[in-house]
């Protein structure tokens, strides 16, 4: 795992409540977090802020004025791994190859990248938002096929490093519908410090990614959204498409 310089994080430290049984694990969070032992007084004091909770379930996050915490669940990941390579994500990224080096350039909470790792790929997860990165690290830590980087993916793609597959899942523009997205997506939108990706940015990103991808670039989009560029082929589910650009 990449060693992180805490001085790169130019922001106020993140409030982190901790249960007493997790006291010995606090050292991993001190460079980025201001820690408070979990009690009613601390909860009331911090309820107007985005805050983290380290307890027996792992690392949870709550938005301002939310009482319940969200934890990244491994259940969805395990269910998708059980589906094997029949799933659209696996078919788009891995094809029939036995082993692939994958860069998940916008890892978020890591569900797609960890699914690919569970299917045998060696995956580099990249996230530049410190809150999202801490949540990602909490579930991906110790996975034998995963490397986690706190970095800007565009800068990484412009380096001299290469992967077989560059997987792009940037933030979508908000959908024009009344139903709310799932809670993990709501939280990602709320805490992210970047705007949803424009068509121009995505076109440029695909071209940059092609320079680092030995086999393919895969762009995830909603099925009803127009193609950003003309892919070699697309693999779609009922709601999502994976556009594949062969190198």
């Amino acid at each position: 795992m990449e060693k992180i310089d805490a001085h790169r994080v130019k922001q106020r430290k993140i409030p982190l409540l901790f249960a007493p049984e997790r006291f010995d694990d606090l050292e991993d969070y001190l460079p980025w977090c201001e820690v408070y032992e979990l009690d009613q007084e601390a909860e009331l004091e911090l309820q107007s802020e985005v805050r983290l909770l380290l307890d027996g379930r792992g690392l949870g996050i709550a938005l301002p004025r939310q009482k319940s915490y969200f934890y990244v669940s491994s259940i969805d990941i395990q269910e998708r791994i059980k589906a094997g390579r029949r799933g659209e994500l696996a078919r788009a990224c891995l094809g029939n190859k036995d082993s692939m080096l994958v860069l998940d350039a916008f890892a978020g909470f890591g569900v797609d990248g960890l699914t690919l790792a569970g299917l045998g790929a060696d995956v580099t997860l990249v996230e530049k938002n410190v809150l999202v990165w801490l949540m990602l690290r909490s579930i991906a830590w110790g996975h034998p096929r995963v490397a986690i980087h706190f970095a800007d993916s565009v800068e990484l793609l412009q380096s001299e490093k290469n992967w077989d597959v560059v997987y792009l899942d940037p933030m979508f523009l908000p959908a024009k519908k009344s139903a709310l997205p799932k809670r993990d997506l709501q939280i990602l939108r709320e805490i992210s410090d970047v705007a949803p990706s424009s068509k121009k940015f995505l076109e440029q990103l695909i071209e940059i990614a092609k320079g680092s991808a030995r086999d393919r670039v895969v762009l995830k989009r909603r099925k009803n959204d127009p193609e950003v560029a003309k892919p070699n082929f697309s693999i779609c589910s009922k709601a999502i498409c994976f556009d594949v650009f062969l190198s």
Side-chain angles (χ1 to χ4, degrees):
M1 183 180 297
E2 180 189 29
K3 182 175 175 59
I4 303 301
D5 180 357
H7 295 292
R8 287 169 52 191
V9 186
K10 299 178 180 178
Q11 66 175 50
R12 179 177 176 272
K13 285 194 172 184
I14 301 160
L16 170 67
L17 296 149
F18 68 93
E21 66 269 21
R22 298 302 302 270
F23 178 83
D24 291 341
D25 301 315
L26 289 179
E27 187 175 353
D28 292 330
Y29 297 91
L30 292 179
W32 305 277
C33 300
E34 190 75 36
V35 299
Y36 304 81
E37 187 165 0
L38 179 61
D39 59 29
Q40 188 173 13
E41 182 179 348
E43 273 283 13
L44 288 172
E45 180 184 346
L46 299 170
Q47 65 179 350
S48 63
E49 303 182 55
V50 176
R51 59 204 185 278
L52 299 171
L53 172 62
L54 184 65
D55 63 6
R57 294 181 59 187
L59 188 67
I61 186 170
L63 298 179
R65 293 168 294 282
Q66 286 187 347
K67 293 183 179 180
S68 63
Y69 287 82
F70 169 78
Y71 297 80
V72 179
S73 172
S74 62
I75 296 174
D76 288 344
I77 298 170
Q78 295 303 320
E79 287 299 318
R80 293 166 73 180
I81 291 172
K82 287 179 183 177
R85 298 202 173 200
R86 298 188 304 276
E88 291 84 5
L89 172 69
R91 286 159 52 206
C93 291
L94 306 181
N96 296 319
K97 303 288 181 65
D98 291 332
S99 179
M100 298 284 266
L101 296 177
V102 178
L103 174 68
D104 185 351
F106 299 87
F109 292 145
V111 174
D112 286 347
L114 289 169
T115 298
L116 294 173
L119 293 171
D122 292 297
V123 181
T124 299
L125 301 171
V126 180
E127 179 54 54
K128 73 173 185 177
N129 179 290
V130 66
L131 265 168
V132 181
W133 176 77
L134 286 169
M135 293 291 291
L136 172 65
R137 188 182 68 160
S138 72
I139 191 169
W141 190 293
H143 194 295
R145 290 188 173 273
V146 169
I148 312 162
H149 288 266
F150 179 46
D152 185 297
S153 58
V154 176
E155 292 180 5
L156 192 59
L157 286 168
Q158 291 173 326
S159 69
E160 295 182 357
K161 296 181 180 180
N162 293 101
W163 296 265
D164 297 317
V165 181
V166 176
Y167 176 61
L168 305 174
D169 181 15
M171 188 174 293
F172 297 147
L173 292 167
K176 296 179 180 180
K177 59 180 182 180
S178 57
L180 290 173
K182 295 194 301 183
R183 192 178 178 196
D184 58 341
L185 297 180
Q186 293 181 51
I187 290 173
L188 280 172
R189 286 190 184 280
E190 181 72 20
I191 66 179
S192 177
D193 55 3
V194 294
S197 302
S198 66
K199 184 176 186 293
K200 182 178 180 180
F201 170 78
L202 291 175
E203 289 173 342
Q204 294 172 341
L205 184 62
I206 291 167
E207 290 306 310
I208 292 170
K210 284 180 178 178
S212 296
R214 288 184 287 258
D215 189 85
R216 65 187 63 190
V217 175
V218 179
L219 175 68
K220 183 179 181 179
R221 64 176 171 87
R222 285 184 301 237
K223 189 173 183 178
N224 292 331
D225 289 348
E227 292 179 349
V228 173
K230 187 64 179 176
N232 292 89
F233 60 92
S234 299
I235 296 176
C236 299
S237 65
K238 291 182 179 179
I240 295 294
C241 276
F242 298 93
D243 293 335
V244 180
F245 304 85
L246 298 178
S247 299

